Amino acid sequence: MVNPGSFQGSRKEFLLAQKAAYTEAVIGGYVADALADIQRRYFKRYPIDLPHDEEPSQEHLANVDDASADAEPEEPNRELLSKEDFETKMTEVQQRADLIRFRKAQIKRWMAYQHMKDNDTDPMEPSPTNPYNSLIFQLSGKEPGRPRKKTAVNVWRKTQRHNIEMRVKNLAKSQGIPNDKLAALRDKVARQMFNALPADQQEKWTKQAEDETKAASEEWERMRKNEPSTKPEDRQ
């Protein structure tokens, strides 16, 4: 059975609509701020007390005001409750806070994964625009390995995903190639298309690959000298 993913229905539609803003944040270097805003607006539409598999009403979604202040949860009043009731309420408050942290972590991973998938990003490749680097540090405390040398064809193919995919689909259909062979076919097609480029274009992409390899290596060295965050909120 296919895994439906962490977010379905309008929740998934909302997060999909945030991908462009997230990508801009990755490029601009303000992912944490953008992610916090996405999470804040998510909870306005999908309150944490609403079961994760239950859709909010259309009326609720239509009345969401992103500019309004976020509602603060009401803390139990010890003076108005018995000891047992107060402890029960405090347990509920803690469980709610834990669920919020869990959902925020889900959103964080989902957005990072979508960005990685859309941009053919290697999660182990050190880069200022690779959101998975921070997840690796935060979740494991271990640094990624030294980045691999980039090749011209692999750098070029990231800009030609649509064209490559169209040719792969046409070849697979005409030649009856099964789905489990498409990865090899995709690699073959990409190399053939790259080799068909004029020499000056191939040279341009070779230089681009060298520049990206150098930048990734420099970023790797920089991250080696920096300690990963130990703040609990960063290790969600």
Side-chain angles (χ1 to χ4, degrees):
M1 181 179 294
V2 177
N3 186 346
S6 300
F7 300 95
Q8 294 297 305
S10 64
R11 288 171 172 81
K12 183 175 181 179
E13 292 175 4
F14 170 78
L15 292 177
L16 286 171
Q18 311 310 309
K19 288 169 64 172
Y22 185 88
T23 296
E24 290 183 9
V26 171
I27 296 172
Y30 53 93
V31 174
D33 291 339
L35 183 62
D37 185 61
I38 291 171
Q39 292 167 335
R40 181 185 68 83
R41 291 187 294 114
Y42 175 93
F43 286 121
K44 281 184 175 292
R45 290 158 176 78
Y46 310 101
I48 199 63
D49 299 318
L50 181 71
H52 192 53
D53 58 355
E54 181 179 325
E55 286 286 325
S57 68
Q58 289 301 313
E59 181 181 5
H60 168 78
L61 292 176
N63 289 327
V64 169
D65 180 6
D66 287 327
S68 65
D70 298 333
E72 293 292 334
E74 185 176 345
E75 293 290 332
N77 190 327
R78 184 188 296 270
E79 296 179 357
L80 299 179
L81 298 170
S82 67
K83 180 180 179 181
E84 290 183 355
D85 287 345
F86 178 76
E87 291 177 351
T88 298
K89 289 292 185 182
M90 288 304 298
T91 298
E92 293 174 354
V93 168
Q94 184 59 52
Q95 290 174 341
R96 188 176 188 275
D98 290 343
L99 184 55
I100 290 174
R101 282 192 291 271
F102 175 76
R103 191 74 70 232
K104 283 184 174 181
Q106 279 187 312
I107 295 171
K108 180 178 182 178
R109 290 191 297 269
W110 192 93
M111 296 301 302
Y113 172 75
Q114 291 295 320
H115 179 80
M116 180 190 74
K117 183 177 68 172
D118 291 347
N119 294 276
D120 288 340
T121 302
D122 182 349
M124 296 301 291
E125 177 182 304
S127 167
T129 60
N130 185 349
Y132 257 67
N133 286 165
S134 61
L135 287 181
I136 292 169
F137 283 147
Q138 292 160 10
L139 297 177
S140 69
K142 297 179 181 179
E143 64 184 30
R146 181 180 289 276
R148 296 186 294 271
K149 181 179 180 180
K150 294 177 180 289
T151 64
V153 63
N154 284 339
V155 173
W156 168 83
R157 69 188 292 177
K158 291 181 181 180
T159 69
Q160 300 293 321
R161 285 193 296 268
H162 177 72
N163 293 333
I164 293 171
E165 200 61 28
M166 289 298 294
R167 186 168 299 187
V168 167
K169 288 181 178 179
N170 290 336
L171 285 173
K173 183 177 180 180
S174 63
Q175 299 178 15
I177 299 175
N179 289 339
D180 61 352
K181 302 294 184 182
L182 291 185
L185 177 62
R186 190 174 291 111
D187 186 65
K188 179 180 178 181
V189 166
R191 293 181 184 281
Q192 289 176 340
M193 291 175 65
F194 179 80
N195 290 334
L197 293 174
D200 62 331
Q201 287 294 309
Q202 293 189 37
E203 184 177 348
K204 168 194 168 184
W205 288 106
T206 298
K207 179 64 167 57
Q208 178 73 18
E210 292 173 351
D211 290 344
E212 291 191 13
T213 298
K214 180 180 179 182
S217 295
E218 291 174 350
E219 179 66 11
W220 181 78
E221 290 289 352
R222 184 192 67 78
M223 290 193 298
R224 286 185 64 202
K225 298 175 183 178
N226 294 334
E227 292 294 330
S229 173
T230 58
K231 295 190 295 184
E233 60 268 29
D234 288 340
R235 290 181 175 267
Q236 294 180 31

